[in-house]
Amino acid sequence: MIRRRQGHIVAISSVQGKISIPFRSAYAASKHATQAFFDCLRAEMEQYEIEVTVISPGHIHTNLSLNAITADGSRYGGEKRRVFLVFTLETGDPGKSWD
């Protein structure tokens, strides 16, 4: 990509890379790190005209809340539920069109 001066790197993260909720500290920390890494990579790749995009889906139907633990290490066991999928999309160009 660098040699050709073109390309597009896409990372799938989570909205928890932007906001955090209780009992998800390790997961949120990993997603914040993912977000920061790709934000830096975006700035570094700009000189090579390589785009970097981070897609951050919101809550989806998974077992994550069932497997979460509380502060004392006990299992949280939150309920499994369906929530509308919401996501953010970040690129280096705020005016970019995704037609």
Side-chain angles (χ1 to χ4, degrees):
M1 285 190 232
I2 290 174
R3 191 180 70 240
R4 292 181 302 155
R5 298 188 68 80
Q6 70 175 18
H8 195 153
I9 298 167
V10 178
I12 308 298
S13 184
S14 169
V15 74
Q16 286 198 52
K18 295 292 194 177
I19 59 169
S20 303
I21 58 175
F23 307 112
R24 307 294 189 283
S25 57
Y27 182 79
S30 71
K31 296 308 171 184
H32 275 79
T34 299
Q35 183 70 48
F37 175 82
F38 285 101
D39 285 349
C40 290
L41 185 64
R42 180 183 303 118
E44 293 169 2
M45 293 295 104
E46 184 177 18
Q47 66 182 316
Y48 303 110
E49 301 175 38
I50 297 170
E51 294 185 60
V52 176
T53 300
V54 178
I55 299 173
S56 300
H59 184 83
I60 56 175
H61 191 66
T62 69
N63 287 334
L64 184 63
S65 62
L66 297 175
N67 297 324
I69 58 173
T70 64
D72 67 5
S74 61
R75 192 172 207 149
Y76 173 68
E79 64 184 60
K80 207 172 177 182
R81 56 190 167 151
R82 293 187 187 271
V83 178
F84 289 105
L85 180 64
V86 178
F87 67 91
T88 64
L89 180 67
E90 294 186 25
T91 68
D93 181 1
K96 177 129 180 123
S97 173
W98 295 93
D99 296 332

